[in-house]
Amino acid sequence: MTGSTPQRDLDHPHDLVGVGIGPFNLSLAALAQGVPGGLATAFYDQNPAFHWHPGLLIEGATLQVPFLADLVTLADPASPWSFLSYLRSRDRLFPFYFAEKFHIQRAEYDAYCRWVSAQLPGLHFGHQVDAVRWSPERALFEVDFTQLDQDGEAEALGRAYSRNVVLGVGTEPYVPEPLKPLADAPNVPVLHSAEYLDHRERLLAAEHVTVIGSGQSGAEIFLDLLRARPAGAEKIHWLARTEAFAPMEYSKLGLEHFTPDYTRYFHSLPEQTRNELVPRQWQLHKGIDADTIAAIHDELYRRTLHGGWPDAVLTPGVRVRTAGRVATTKVELHLEHPQQSTRSRLTTDAVVLATGYRERPVDRMLAGLDPYLRHDSAGRARIDDAFRLVLAPSVTGSVYVQNAEKHTHGVGAPDLGLAAWRSATILNSLTGKEPYPLPRRTAFTSFGLERREAPHIPAQGQALTPLTRNI
């Protein structure tokens, strides 16, 4: 719900204030409701209501995690905020049962999250957090915010006090440097995949469309455009920097990289090892669902049944060096193929950048905490195993993070399947108790060797016990 500003003074501070209301902080807010004795919480988001990637809710697109990876189930299956509870509230349990869908559509996941957000207390949309500071005198965090009106304009200023803070501001679309000037220019048909549905009709009307990016979003957009354009006149290019349009690692043992066991193992590794490991694991989270790859091939093959080939070009291993406008309506991409050591140009009418997301910067918001923050050798925030920023000992409160810890906790940081476990871990840490008992083991794989004492080596000159005896 869009709530009014919570009235809590210095004598009654919040136990937890959340910045951002995406799926991860929504999970935390839902599980916080089940903590015995209750917690005083408030969560703020500058958007007017909850929406999850609205530009990518393409018809038929499914989540890449099972429905059990909802906001709460993997920490509290009996929670009233589970996906099954949502279905029951809509009288849809039996249809879902007979549908036998382990992976639900994205649009349904978005509807479920909006159902939770509409009923949970303590959620305050239309509130932009401007600054988070530590007050040594009060031993509390000060959270300054601006209340926005329906048009997004500033309406009132406010401040909340809290013993703890959790950052869940999510990520923002990433646009490669060569294409930033065009993406930022008005009336130029270069857009990020996050805006795809907002511009779909315009893209379908374009004579030629280029999709850049080899992940799931790029594949889904290419497939959607392909299905909607006439056979023989598809006029679509699909380009990617990766060496192949590769499937995502989805074997059962491969998926164990998204377990608490692997997260703990990764956190225990040396910083340099973690830095080298994450880029090598791209296929765990940046590949394409095998069903989507199959659907693309089926659609391309179907268009060859009456002779000829579809006018669609799929080229991996290509990078965009530079880009510019041609005349007033077209875009020219300057391409390079490193394996071939060749370069070429591609003229297109529209470009969709399925180039992923990056962590949203929070330096400005956390400027007041800068004297207390501890950083690693690359200047990134240090984060402990309970998802807390490592702060100076003088700060008695905690700042937790959600989906900002890939460098310390690994590829599972943005994965919805770990949302409930991470939220439960945070609440266990915050309360100093165990309102949510968590499993000790979650994977069949043992990540790393058991630590054992080194064998005893006798000192020089010490007598050795013979292995055999002379008889």
Side-chain angles (χ1 to χ4, degrees):
M1 69 180 67
T2 302
S4 59
T5 303
Q7 300 300 315
R8 280 193 164 265
D9 56 28
L10 281 169
D11 295 327
H12 300 88
H14 295 283
D15 295 308
L16 179 67
V17 161
V19 183
I21 309 176
F24 295 138
N25 264 359
L26 189 60
S27 164
L28 186 62
L31 287 173
Q33 293 296 306
V35 172
L39 289 174
T41 64
F43 290 79
Y44 301 98
D45 195 291
Q46 64 183 3
N47 294 307
F50 183 96
H51 284 289
W52 184 72
H53 295 303
L56 282 171
L57 300 181
I58 299 170
E59 184 176 354
T62 60
L63 284 184
Q64 292 174 287
V65 292
F67 75 90
L68 291 174
D70 62 14
L71 300 173
V72 294
T73 293
L74 291 176
D76 182 10
S79 170
W81 309 113
S82 69
F83 177 71
L84 292 180
S85 294
Y86 161 72
L87 292 178
R88 183 178 61 183
S89 75
R90 297 293 192 263
D91 289 332
R92 295 180 58 228
L93 269 176
F94 273 91
F96 181 74
Y97 165 58
F98 291 120
E100 297 184 348
K101 296 292 186 183
F102 202 50
H103 291 79
I104 63 175
Q105 292 195 18
R106 286 184 188 165
E108 187 165 26
Y109 179 79
D110 175 63
Y112 154 65
C113 288
R114 286 189 282 111
W115 171 77
V116 175
S117 70
Q119 298 180 83
L120 272 182
L123 304 186
H124 305 278
F125 293 98
H127 286 67
Q128 173 185 293
V129 173
D130 304 310
V132 178
R133 293 182 302 276
W134 173 251
S135 171
E137 299 81 12
R138 300 185 174 102
L140 293 171
F141 290 102
E142 299 174 345
V143 181
D144 291 345
F145 57 83
T146 301
Q147 189 169 345
L148 309 175
D149 61 20
Q150 293 182 346
D151 298 320
E153 299 296 326
E155 190 173 54
L157 300 178
R159 176 177 294 172
Y161 297 93
S162 183
R163 298 181 180 90
N164 303 281
V165 172
V166 57
L167 302 177
V169 297
T171 56
E172 61 184 7
Y174 169 70
V175 177
E177 287 296 333
L179 291 156
K180 271 188 177 180
L182 292 177
D184 293 338
N187 302 320
V188 178
V190 176
L191 58 105
H192 193 272
S193 58
E195 305 174 281
Y196 173 67
L197 287 184
D198 296 333
H199 299 273
R200 184 175 182 271
E201 295 305 316
R202 180 184 179 189
L203 291 169
L204 291 177
E207 184 178 355
H208 184 277
V209 181
T210 299
V211 179
I212 299 177
S214 63
Q216 183 69 18
S217 296
E220 289 174 350
I221 289 171
F222 175 79
L223 177 61
D224 187 61
L225 291 171
L226 181 64
R227 285 171 168 168
R229 295 171 79 85
E234 294 85 0
K235 294 187 177 180
I236 312 175
H237 268 66
W238 185 16
L239 308 176
R241 291 202 313 170
T242 54
E243 296 180 359
F245 296 104
M248 185 176 294
E249 169 57 61
Y250 209 77
S251 66
K252 289 178 170 59
L253 290 179
L255 289 175
E256 290 194 340
H257 286 84
F258 300 96
T259 59
D261 282 11
Y262 183 76
T263 301
R264 287 188 288 262
Y265 162 77
F266 186 91
H267 188 271
S268 70
L269 295 173
E271 178 187 332
Q272 185 58 37
T273 303
R274 296 196 303 253
N275 292 342
E276 296 169 355
L277 193 53
V278 169
R280 298 204 304 264
Q281 296 177 323
W282 67 270
Q283 211 165 336
L284 287 171
H285 60 106
K286 291 186 178 180
I288 305 169
D289 175 77
D291 290 341
T292 306
I293 292 178
I296 290 171
H297 192 276
D298 289 348
E299 183 64 26
L300 291 169
Y301 177 74
R302 186 182 67 80
R303 292 169 183 248
T304 68
L305 296 182
H306 302 292
W309 289 70
D311 188 7
V313 180
L314 293 72
T315 310
V318 173
R319 73 180 188 92
V320 179
R321 294 173 46 247
T322 58
R325 297 179 65 170
V326 178
T328 57
T329 60
K330 294 184 181 293
V331 175
E332 185 176 78
L333 303 174
H334 298 187
L335 308 177
E336 180 179 28
H337 197 293
Q339 290 182 357
Q340 285 185 320
S341 299
T342 55
R343 293 182 176 181
S344 66
R345 298 183 180 185
L346 172 65
T347 301
T348 185
D349 295 284
V351 179
V352 182
L353 302 173
T355 46
Y357 297 79
R358 295 292 186 273
E359 291 179 9
R360 185 170 278 114
V362 293
D363 296 354
R364 187 172 179 180
M365 183 196 306
L366 299 184
L369 291 179
D370 196 59
Y372 305 102
L373 285 170
R374 299 295 181 259
H375 300 87
D376 64 15
S377 62
R380 300 165 300 192
R382 290 173 55 197
I383 303 169
D384 71 11
D385 58 357
F387 303 96
R388 293 174 297 196
L389 296 180
V390 177
L391 303 171
S394 59
V395 180
T396 56
S398 295
V399 177
Y400 297 91
V401 296
Q402 303 227 58
N403 193 14
E405 72 280 5
K406 186 184 288 186
H407 63 290
T408 56
H409 288 69
V411 293
D415 191 77
L416 293 175
L418 285 171
W421 171 77
R422 179 172 51 199
S423 294
T425 301
I426 290 172
L427 291 170
N428 288 351
S429 166
L430 185 150
T431 60
K433 301 176 182 178
E434 200 175 35
Y436 292 103
L438 296 174
R440 293 184 178 179
R441 184 174 180 180
T442 55
F444 292 111
T445 306
S446 297
F447 299 101
L449 298 175
E450 292 184 18
R451 297 182 182 274
R452 297 173 182 251
E453 293 185 7
H456 175 67
I457 301 176
Q460 188 173 3
Q462 183 176 336
L464 299 178
T465 303
L467 294 176
T468 60
R469 271 198 258 176
N470 294 325
I471 299 178

